[in-house]
Amino acid sequence: ADLACAGCVEVGEDGVSLAPSTLGRVASYYYLSYTTVALFHAELHDVDEGPTALSDLLRVLCDASEYDELPVRHNEEVVNEQLADKLPWPVERSRFDSPHVKANLLLQAHFARAPLPMSDYVTDLKSVLDQALRILQAMVDIAADAGWLHTALGAMSLTQMVSQGRFLDAPPLSDLPGMSAA
């Protein structure tokens, strides 16, 4: 019943037979939770009226169920709040103890090449990055299948940001080793 409600399977007219939907195939192919693809389908549905803000796509990416288990240790909500003040895109300020907000902050720090406050955050960032490309590829597939061009292009841009470790509007020379914006 949950898979059918999430749009991952289609129940036959006989009420017994099942057939996978596109969302179900995407979840299976990328080893994602059915709740993640359902979230993408629901959240990305209404944003394709124009160029999608990358910060909105990052929020949807970080709300994926795959980040539910990202550890938020004792008193890290204070560290997350301090980190948020140094990063350009806003996060929901009432949820600094959420693993999803922490994933958002870690990815923004990765894009900005900002120093992380402690070694645990380096480990957590590696965990977030290990899953991000796979989840983003699923986001691109869901958007493309639904015909949401702007959303698909935005998800591709976000994929590029994760791969390059920089914001799209960063100076191109900042990709070179040893170069900084200063």
Side-chain angles (χ1 to χ4, degrees):
D2 288 345
L3 292 176
C5 291
C8 292
V9 295
E10 297 165 354
V11 180
E13 291 179 14
D14 60 4
V16 178
S17 61
L18 298 174
S21 68
T22 300
L23 291 180
R25 286 187 181 101
V26 168
S28 174
Y29 185 80
Y30 292 107
Y31 300 99
L32 297 177
S33 167
Y34 74 93
T35 56
T36 296
V37 294
L39 169 80
F40 288 175
H41 192 260
E43 290 283 322
L44 301 176
H45 187 269
D46 295 328
V47 298
D48 200 56
E49 296 161 3
T52 303
L54 291 175
S55 59
D56 293 337
L57 288 176
L58 181 63
R59 180 193 50 79
V60 174
L61 165 68
C62 293
D63 282 344
S65 302
E66 283 66 24
Y67 293 127
D68 284 350
E69 301 302 318
L70 183 67
V72 179
R73 298 165 193 88
H74 182 64
N75 287 333
E76 275 190 355
E77 63 273 3
V78 176
V79 177
N80 289 343
E81 185 173 6
Q82 293 168 350
L83 184 58
D85 291 337
K86 298 175 186 174
L87 297 171
W89 292 345
V91 294
E92 193 174 332
R93 299 197 72 79
S94 64
R95 296 182 50 211
F96 283 121
D97 59 345
S98 163
H100 304 284
V101 169
K102 183 176 180 181
N104 189 313
L105 294 171
L106 288 170
L107 284 171
Q108 284 192 61
H110 176 65
F111 304 151
R113 298 183 180 178
L116 295 173
M118 62 184 81
S119 61
D120 288 341
Y121 276 55
V122 174
T123 305
D124 294 342
L125 175 60
K126 183 176 179 346
S127 172
V128 168
L129 290 173
D130 285 345
Q131 298 189 68
L133 291 176
R134 173 174 59 90
I135 299 169
L136 279 165
Q137 288 170 339
M139 187 184 287
V140 169
D141 283 358
I142 290 169
D145 182 68
W148 304 327
L149 176 64
H150 294 293
T151 302
L153 292 173
M156 289 179 201
S157 295
L158 199 54
T159 302
Q160 186 67 28
M161 290 168 56
V162 169
S163 298
Q164 293 291 319
R166 71 179 190 99
F167 284 102
L168 281 182
D169 58 358
L173 290 179
S174 67
D175 281 343
L176 298 175
M179 299 295 284
S180 66

